[in-house]
């Protein structure tokens, strides 16, 4: 995995899709590719109340990414210093093998340039000390971006509280 | 404006659209708009000069000021602002003949079209013939050449020398296809003229009814000019009629195509020679405002050997062929020597055989491979029992009592190269020998017969005795006088004369309109963008150039019947399917590079892409190796390489050639097509064990993401 962790606190997500919009505009993408995507799971009835979950799906920046293994041109790479998986457009020829190899559907097709685009945690922004575009616009602050050692135990705390309330 | 849209091309499209929709009702404004469009097209094809931009601005200003109605004023205003806004782009087109956005279409016409002196859209008409739309093919050809039938029979086809297919096996039979389509369209009554512009009352006089003059007459007639052609012979056609023998070009072919030009209202005055039967002043008094000189090269060079002027049995090839063409079928002698190695020499020799001469010998001072005649002409001459004496220089014609008895010659050897790049023949001393002949026909070259042009003393003549003109506009230094054809180029080909006539017609139109002449000769224009003919790779490779059906040898030695019998419908359509469509595929080699060097698949074996050192080509290799990843198609700059899913298959085509097609696998969840098994095997081999363990399910990108999101949703902790 990369040394970063992009955590979505799904409980607070209202499914406004601002993250998707910011991502697309930051990467200047046409209709089609969704480098990150908020998917609606549900609604279904929980105690007779319809509930839906909004799940943020970026790239997981796997430890041993299949997209990198599948890429015949070396365009898909894992950055040595922080483990970010990214695509070098100078090398990408558009064979789409990474798209077929990824079990999460993370690499996307940009028909305008005939190459693959994918979430790279906005490498250029990170290198300038900024956060990824999606995180900066999240209206409910449910997206958190940290290095793995600094991530807050939000879910653990919430679960503990819930357990306490049960008593 | 969209990204990648060039303002030059965009404005030309807009103007053409406005004109086509008839949105400018005022004739005066329409004319100005057409002129602007014409100038705009010059700019977009790299033919513009420094005056183009100010001329367009002036015309746009007139539209704005004098337009009269709202639409014209608005159009003028818009054009002015466009010219102002995109001034830089216009200037770069004018100064560097380069469209940085690649939107100006004629950036890369096919090599065949570039090689054609008339600039015919070859790939376009070949494709139309392949689709069985021969009559449309003829209309397409006639945008650049009003003589598709003549050229389909006698053109020297420089296009075929450039044909890229020739680097794989043999060039496409471009000439024969044209002849086939023209004959078919004519016989079915589908050979039609485009609509003529309304009469504009302006009179143009064309001197000479050869290919250059008739071409100019056709294009000027279409533009609404009142064209009169004066011709010294009793019929139209010029050298096509009296130079090319009937067994190559039947008279009916010329007559029918000339009739199409007559249909446009062009009038002919036969037996009328400028300077003899009519003077320039007479013509000017009749109201002719522009003149086009296309008198050809009807005089012959002399051999300068002794005896040349002493015998009536010596007749130069041009005079001989003319006499035969006009109906005198007496044979020149029983044993004839034809001097020279060009097409005219072949024509004269083969005509002699048909007149009943017993022995015809072609005497040429160089070797067979140096002959300027078309190889097929030489082959056909040999088939007709014509003898050849190579490395032979005639030095004297001998005889007595006005009758030739023999031709004395010297053997020659090839020495060092001369200025034409050919090795100069050097006579060998003391090697003289005689050939028994009773007639000699010199065919060693033609020149211009200047008689009749004495009154035009301001014309400038070149060292080669041809008229000097501006090569872009065919203008002579004499106001209102244009010239083209053999009189400018020296003896050349039909298609070169047609190209010159077409250029002159455009220049004459501009002369009347008072708009600037182009500074560069025109670049051929792709006339239309046609879809591809779909052909399996194996068929593409196995189809071969059709053998032309020929008249039997006995007939050929006795009659003037057409020797080449033409292609059958089936072989013509099959031949069109061999075309590689170089108007779309620019042979940049990106696909091959990516497949071999980036993907490591090496499925494209296309050696013909190398111009100088063509390698082996086999389109069938793709089916064995290609994984249908589509990287070649994704990187093809022109859309020649295409990948599509249809009929449960993924199909890769290059300009319609089906390189590979494999059955698709589908998403197990939504049924969307994923790719063929071979593609998935390729990926599985690269991702290895781990992927094999996890990848039990076959999902598309969208479903994979959805499934992952659902899994995340499921593992959410219970909510308090």
């Amino acid at each position: 995995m990369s040394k970063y962790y992009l955590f979505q606190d799904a409980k607070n997500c209202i499914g406004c899709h601002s993250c998707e919009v910011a991502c697309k505009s930051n990467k200047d993408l046409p209709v089609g590719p969704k480098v990150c995507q908020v998917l609606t799971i549900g609604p279904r009835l929980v105690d007779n109340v319809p509930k839906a979950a909004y799940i943020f799906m970026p790239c997981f920046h796997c430890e041993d990414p299949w997209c990198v293994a599948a890429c015949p041109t070396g365009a898909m790479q894992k950055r040595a210093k922080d483990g970010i998986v990214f695509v070098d457009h100078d090398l990408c020829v558009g064979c789409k093998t990474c798209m077929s190899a990824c079990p999460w559907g993370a690499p996307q097709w940009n028909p305008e340039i005939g190459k693959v685009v994918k979430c790279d945690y906005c490498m250029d922004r990170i290198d300038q000390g900024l956060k990824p575009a999606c995180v900066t616009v999240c209206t409910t602050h449910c997206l958190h971006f940290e290095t793995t050692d600094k991530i807050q135990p939000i879910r653990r705390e919430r679960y503990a509280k819930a357990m306490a309330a049960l008593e | 404006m969209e990204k990648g849209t060039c303002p030059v091309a965009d404005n030309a499209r807009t103007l053409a659209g406005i004109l086509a929709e008839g949105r400018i009702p005022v004739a005066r404004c329409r004319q100005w708009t057409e002129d602007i469009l014409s100038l705009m097209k010059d700019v977009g094809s790299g033919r513009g000069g420094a005056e183009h931009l100010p001329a367009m601005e002036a015309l746009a200003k007139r539209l704005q000021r004098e337009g009269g109605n709202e639409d014209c004023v608005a159009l003028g205003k818009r054009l002015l602002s466009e010219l102002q806004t995109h001034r830089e782009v216009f200037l770069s087109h004018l100064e560097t003949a380069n469209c940085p956005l690649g939107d100006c279409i004629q950036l890369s016409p096919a090599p065949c079209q570039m090689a054609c002196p008339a600039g015919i859209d070859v790939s376009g008409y070949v494709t139309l013939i392949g689709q069985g739309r021969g009559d449309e093919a003829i209309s397409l050809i006639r945008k650049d050449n009003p003589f598709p039938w003549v050229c389909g029979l006698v053109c020297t086809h420089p296009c075929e020398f450039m044909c890229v297919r020739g680097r794989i096996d043999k060039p496409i039979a471009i000439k024969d296809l044209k002849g086939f389509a023209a004959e078919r369209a004519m016989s079915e009554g589908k050979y039609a003229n485009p609509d003529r512009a309304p009469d504009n009352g302006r009179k143009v006089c064309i001197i000479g009814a050869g290919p250059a003059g008739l071409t100019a007459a056709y294009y000027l007639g279409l533009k609404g000019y009142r064209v009169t052609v004066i011709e010294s012979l009793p019929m139209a056609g010029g050298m096509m009629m009296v130079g090319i023998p009937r067994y190559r070009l039947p008279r009916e072919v010329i007559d029918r195509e000339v009739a199409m030009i007559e249909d446009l209202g062009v009038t002919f005055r036969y037996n009328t020679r400028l300077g003899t039967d009519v003077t320039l002043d007479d013509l000017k008094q009749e109201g002719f405002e522009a003149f086009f000189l296309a008198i050809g090269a009807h005089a012959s060079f002399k051999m300068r050997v002794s005896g040349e002027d002493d015998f009536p049995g010596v007749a130069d090839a041009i005079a001989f062929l003319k006499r035969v063409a006009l109906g005198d079928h007496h044979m020149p002698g029983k044993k004839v020597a034809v001097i020279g190695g060009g097409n005219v020499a072949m024509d004269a020799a083969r005509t002699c055989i048909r007149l009943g001469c017993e022995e015809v010998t072609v005497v040429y001072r160089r070797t067979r491979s140096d002959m300027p005649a078309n190889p097929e002409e030489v082959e056909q001459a040999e088939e007709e029992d014509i003898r050849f004496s190579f490395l032979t220089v005639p030095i004297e014609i001998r005889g007595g009592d006005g009758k030739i008895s023999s031709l004395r010659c010297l053997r020659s050897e090839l020495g060092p190269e001369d200025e034409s790049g050919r090795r100069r023949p050097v006579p060998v001393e003391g090697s003289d020998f005689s050939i028994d002949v009773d007639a000699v026909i010199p065919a060693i070259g033609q020149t211009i017969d200047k008689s009749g042009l004495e009154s035009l003393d301001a014309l400038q003549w070149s060292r080669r005795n041809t008229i000097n003109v501006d090569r872009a506009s065919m203008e002579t230094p004499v106001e209102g006088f244009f010239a083209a054809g053999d009189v400018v180029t020296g003896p050349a080909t039909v298609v070169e004369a047609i190209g010159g006539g077409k250029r002159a017609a455009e220049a004459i139109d501009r002369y009347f309109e008072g708009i600037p002449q182009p500074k560069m000769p025109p670049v051929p224009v792709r006339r239309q963008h046609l879809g591809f003919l779909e052909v399996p790779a194996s068929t593409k490779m196995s189809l071969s150039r059709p053998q032309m059906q020929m008249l039997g040898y006995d007939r050929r030695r006795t009659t003037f019947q057409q020797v080449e019998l033409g292609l059958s419908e089936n072989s013509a359509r099959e031949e069109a399917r061999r075309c590689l469509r170089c108007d779309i595929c620019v042979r940049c080699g990106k696909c091959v590079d990516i497949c071999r060097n980036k993907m490591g698949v090496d499925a494209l074996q296309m050696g013909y892409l190398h111009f100088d050192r063509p390698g082996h080509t086999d389109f069938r290799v793709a089916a064995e190796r290609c994984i249908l990843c589509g990287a070649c198609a994704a990187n093809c700059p022109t859309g020649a390489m295409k990948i599509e899913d249809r009929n449960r298959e993924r199909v890769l085509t290059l300009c319609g050639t089906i390189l590979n097609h494999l059955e698709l696998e589908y998403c197990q969840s939504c049924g969307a097509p994923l790719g063929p098994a071979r593609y998935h095997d390729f990926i599985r081999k690269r991702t290895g064990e781990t992927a094999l363990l996890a990848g039990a399910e076959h999902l598309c990108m969208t479903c994979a993401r959805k499934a992952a999101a659902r899994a995340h949703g499921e593992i959410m902790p219970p909510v308090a």
Side-chain angles (χ1 to χ4, degrees), chain B residues 191-346:
Chain B
Y191 189 120
N193 278 331
D195 289 335
R196 180 179 190 256
D199 183 15
N200 64 19
R202 284 157 160 173
K203 291 177 80 175
V204 181
C205 180
I206 291 173
I207 299 129
L214 291 169
T215 301
Y218 173 75
Y219 289 111
L220 288 169
L222 277 182
K223 284 188 169 137
Y225 289 89
R226 293 183 186 175
V227 183
T228 301
V229 183
I230 63 171
E231 167 60 54
S232 63
L233 291 166
M235 57 189 77
M239 273 296 185
M240 299 189 289
M241 188 62 98
V242 297
I244 301 173
R246 293 292 74 84
Y247 60 86
R248 281 176 62 202
L249 179 60
R251 177 168 177 173
E252 301 76 52
V253 174
I254 308 169
D255 286 346
R256 292 292 288 269
E257 290 200 317
V258 170
M260 298 302 295
I261 296 170
E262 264 180 315
D263 262 3
L264 293 171
V266 173
T267 53
F268 289 87
R269 290 184 207 164
Y270 298 117
N271 301 312
T272 310
R273 195 185 177 91
L274 182 69
T276 320
D277 305 305
V278 65
T279 67
L280 208 52
D281 288 334
D282 297 340
L283 292 168
K284 279 183 181 160
Q285 276 194 347
E286 279 186 54
F288 291 109
E289 297 171 72
F291 295 85
F292 176 46
L293 280 174
I295 57 166
H298 287 249
S300 291
F301 282 125
K302 290 260 177 194
M303 290 199 294
R304 299 207 192 115
V305 299
S306 76
E308 190 178 2
D309 299 321
D310 304 341
F311 303 100
V314 183
D316 70 76
I318 294 304
F320 166 65
L321 289 170
K322 188 180 288 181
R323 157 172 91 77
V324 178
L326 294 176
D328 177 359
H329 281 200
H330 287 96
M331 66 171 136
K334 293 218 158 122
K335 292 181 173 185
V336 188
V338 177
I339 321 292
N343 280 323
V344 176
M346 294 305 109

Side-chain angles (χ1 to χ4, degrees), chain A residues 10 34-35 37 39 41 44 55 57 66 69-73 93-97 99-101 103-108 114 162, chain B residues 594 598-599 629-631 634-635 679-680 682-683 686-687 690-691 694 701 704-706 708-710 712-714 716-720:
Chain A
K34 291 179 172 176
V35 170
Q37 189 176 6
L39 287 152
I41 305 300
R44 65 171 174 216
I55 307 297
M57 293 291 295
W66 297 349
C71 178
T73 69
V93 296
C95 70
K96 301 188 188 175
T97 47
M99 292 166 61
S100 291
W104 327 112
Q108 299 274 313
Chain B
I594 282 170
K598 303 278 170 58
M599 295 299 298
C629 71
N635 289 280
Y679 178 60
H680 294 134
F682 176 85
I683 297 168
R686 299 191 63 90
T687 50
T690 42
M701 215 171 66
R705 200 176 239 184
K706 247 186 223 155
R710 202 172 299 123
H712 269 65
E714 300 299 341
M716 292 277 287
V719 180

Side-chain angles (χ1 to χ4, degrees), chain A:
Chain A
M1 302 292 277
S2 76
K3 70 175 205 183
Y4 305 106
Y5 183 41
L6 204 165
F7 170 60
Q8 181 214 15
D9 182 3
K11 183 170 180 287
N12 288 341
C13 181
I14 55 170
C16 73
H17 298 277
S18 301
C19 45
E20 281 184 34
V21 175
C23 173
K24 278 196 114 151
S25 84
N26 180 58
K27 287 215 172 340
D28 194 19
L29 295 178
V31 175
K34 291 179 172 176
V35 170
C36 71
Q37 189 176 6
V38 172
L39 287 152
T40 308
I41 305 300
R44 65 171 174 216
L45 292 178
V46 178
D47 297 335
N48 274 330
V49 179
K51 295 238 173 185
Y54 303 103
I55 307 297
F56 178 73
M57 293 291 295
C59 165
F60 299 133
H61 300 268
C62 305
E63 184 62 32
D64 188 7
W66 297 349
C67 57
V68 173
C71 178
T73 69
M76 192 65 85
Q77 304 164 27
K78 196 167 173 69
R79 190 154 83 159
K81 70 172 182 183
D82 54 11
I84 289 177
V85 179
F86 70 102
V87 57
D88 179 347
H89 277 170
D90 291 338
L91 296 175
C92 177
V93 296
C95 70
K96 301 188 188 175
T97 47
C98 53
M99 292 166 61
S100 291
C102 176
W104 327 112
Q108 299 274 313
W109 183 245
N110 183 346
E112 235 173 38
I113 55 171
K115 291 176 194 294
V116 160
V117 280
K118 75 175 285 295
C119 167
D120 55 7
Y121 282 159
C122 297
M123 283 193 324
D124 50 329
R125 292 174 55 88
I126 291 178
D127 292 345
Q128 293 170 50
L130 301 167
K131 295 209 165 177
C134 52
V135 176
T136 56
V137 297
C138 181
T139 43
T140 61
H141 301 283
C142 73
L143 286 178
H144 302 265
F145 183 78
E146 290 296 347
T147 49
T148 40
D149 52 326
K150 286 190 191 136
I151 197 79
Q152 289 156 2
I154 299 175
R155 272 206 287 229
R156 193 176 260 183
E157 275 170 18
R158 185 178 302 141
Y159 189 64
K161 272 182 199 161
M163 295 302 283
L166 287 174
E167 287 174 340

